Amino acid sequence: LSPPAPGRNRAPAWPSYRRYRADPEDWFTGDEIARAARYRAPLRAAAGIEAAAGVVALALAVVARLAAHLDHALGLSGRTAVMAIAAALILGATVLDLPFSAWRRAYERRWGFSRQTAAGWAADHAKSLAVSLLLGAGVLVGAWSVIGATALWWLWLWIACSALSALLVMVAPALLAPLFNRFRELDDAQLAAATRQLGRRLGVEVRQVLVMDASRRTAKHNAYFTGLGRTKRVVLWDTLLADCERPATLAVLAHELGHWRRHHVRWLLAISSAVLLPGLLALHLLLDGAGTHRLFGIAGAADPAAIPMAALAVVIGQAVWLPVAGWISRGFERQADADAVGLIADAQPFVAMMHDLAVKNLSELAPSRAAYLLASHPPPAERMALAAGMATADRMAARAPHER
């Protein structure tokens, strides 16, 4: 796990939002790269087919005016029509997802990752459906009320959605996450103390480090930072604690604390809000346009029959935004990596951790250009090379001028 020879894949002293081209073969064996590629290729194909099927289903619903037919058949109007259409869309999406989800579970079991029982899989889907129906119907009824109240509905809806997003990020760790997983306080006193010490060095107060029972579902390893305000927390998967040595776990914690220090959750909320405003304005122009009424029989944005078209527009907008979101996320990950390397004052534990997790999780080691553009994280080789390069730059900066 030593860095490449000097002059090859030399990394800048600090991470940026530009791609750093690191050769995976400098960090991983050919067998490791090939095995990861064999594992990832069917998953990418299934995800693409599922996404395309969703778009086609929504487009057919719009063209066939299924929402209007549903309202007419059931004799619904107003708020009840909105709730019925919302429920139909959510149920349809769930039915479409079920065969893909069942295939993914079986596929992950063949590769030795999935540990979830059939009953657990069914329970997760039932709970997801219930939460989606409750939140989805509630949000759509609220949005419909705003749309019917003012011609500037897109502006007021932007304010409401921005506030709701922040609220959900704040309460989800405490209210929604426990519906699907069990969490406990980190009971390793030494590791907890080391985490708080890392936090103090970064200038953040670590209130909670939790352990999630991921092992009920998977053999993979992960950790994440989530929450807002007093619900901010670092969450470690129990698989990570069980299978990784303490230096690797500390490197993971240092990375997550980097996200905390740099307020990445707040930045993501702010960016999402900024993008949402022009998105809602475009949706207003689409749904309230004369052409939409003429072609699809939709009587403006306040017509419940407009919901499928709005959903289709949102899905397409998200697809267009996805490469930009990936670029931003990869930049955030590089920033957190830089903090982690600086905190532990040695690139080797970080590089070793990244190598081990990438191999164990069969991460994408040599992504195609398209896969890279859509990824939320830089590939492991790039992150390892950047860490080694930053450590080298720090050592050079620490030497006396006449020694350079």
Side-chain angles (χ1 to χ4, degrees):
L1 296 181
S2 299
R8 186 176 185 188
N9 285 342
R10 181 167 295 175
W14 58 87
S16 70
Y17 286 90
R18 293 176 298 173
R19 180 175 185 177
Y20 176 68
R21 297 186 182 278
D23 189 347
E25 293 183 357
D26 285 335
W27 303 94
F28 301 93
T29 67
D31 288 343
E32 289 170 342
I33 295 172
R35 187 166 186 266
R38 288 196 303 272
Y39 167 71
R40 290 286 167 180
L43 291 173
R44 283 198 307 272
I49 293 171
E50 183 177 10
V55 171
V56 170
L58 277 175
L60 289 175
V62 171
V63 172
R65 304 184 183 183
L66 292 183
H69 293 318
L70 176 65
D71 290 348
H72 179 72
L74 298 178
L76 302 176
S77 62
R79 183 176 287 102
T80 55
V82 172
M83 296 178 66
I85 295 170
L89 287 178
I90 293 169
L91 287 170
T94 300
V95 170
L96 182 64
D97 172 68
L98 282 176
F100 292 96
S101 178
W103 174 85
R104 280 192 295 271
R105 175 176 170 270
Y107 182 78
E108 296 283 356
R109 288 181 74 87
R110 290 200 300 272
W111 280 87
F113 287 130
S114 178
R115 297 171 175 172
Q116 190 172 37
T117 64
W121 176 82
D124 277 354
H125 277 277
K127 287 186 283 189
S128 294
L129 177 60
V131 171
S132 297
L133 286 171
L134 182 63
L135 290 180
V139 168
L140 279 178
V141 168
W144 177 79
S145 300
V146 173
I147 291 171
T150 173
L152 291 176
W153 61 264
W154 54 275
L155 180 59
W156 289 103
L157 201 56
W158 169 68
I159 296 172
C161 287
S162 297
L164 180 61
S165 296
L167 179 62
L168 285 176
V169 170
M170 183 180 296
V171 304
L175 297 181
L176 296 182
L179 296 176
F180 299 91
N181 289 96
R182 290 189 291 270
F183 297 84
R184 59 177 173 83
E185 290 280 354
L186 177 63
D187 53 13
D188 185 328
Q190 291 183 343
L191 186 57
T195 302
R196 293 187 178 91
Q197 183 180 8
L198 289 175
R200 285 193 294 270
R201 290 173 59 188
L202 276 177
V204 299
E205 180 186 356
V206 180
R207 296 189 184 95
Q208 284 187 306
V209 179
L210 302 181
V211 180
M212 188 182 85
D213 63 338
S215 57
R216 292 192 301 117
R217 293 185 177 86
T218 182
K220 291 184 177 181
H221 310 79
N222 202 2
Y224 61 91
F225 168 67
T226 188
L228 198 64
R230 298 196 65 83
T231 65
K232 286 194 289 190
R233 61 199 60 190
V234 173
V235 178
L236 301 174
W237 288 13
D238 57 355
T239 50
L240 183 74
L241 288 176
D243 299 338
C244 293
E245 300 293 334
R246 185 179 298 272
T249 304
L250 282 174
V252 171
L253 283 165
H255 171 87
E256 299 305 330
L257 290 174
H259 287 304
W260 191 327
R261 173 200 178 220
R262 293 174 180 268
H263 307 293
H264 284 158
V265 170
R266 295 182 188 178
W267 275 108
L268 286 175
L269 283 171
I271 293 169
S272 298
S273 180
V275 173
L276 181 63
L277 180 58
L280 285 172
L281 176 58
L283 191 63
H284 155 62
L285 296 175
L286 171 67
L287 297 181
D288 290 325
T292 302
H293 174 69
R294 184 173 62 253
L295 292 174
F296 302 104
I298 296 172
D303 186 352
I307 293 176
M309 176 169 284
L312 178 60
V314 168
V315 169
I316 294 173
Q318 288 176 333
V320 172
W321 173 247
L322 190 58
V324 181
W327 174 72
I328 294 170
S329 177
R330 291 191 298 274
F332 285 176
E333 294 301 324
R334 294 188 190 101
Q335 292 171 5
D337 286 349
D339 285 345
V341 174
L343 270 178
I344 58 182
D346 184 2
Q348 187 61 21
F350 180 89
V351 170
M353 173 273 294
M354 189 61 59
H355 178 274
D356 289 348
L357 293 188
V359 172
K360 289 176 180 177
N361 291 342
L362 290 180
S363 301
E364 189 82 75
L365 300 181
S368 65
R369 184 183 296 272
Y372 185 95
L373 288 175
L374 300 178
S376 60
H377 291 60
E382 178 180 329
R383 301 175 72 178
M384 295 160 73
L386 282 167
M390 284 184 284
T392 300
D394 289 342
R395 287 194 298 270
M396 290 292 294
R399 291 169 58 185
H402 68 275
E403 295 179 309
R404 296 178 188 171

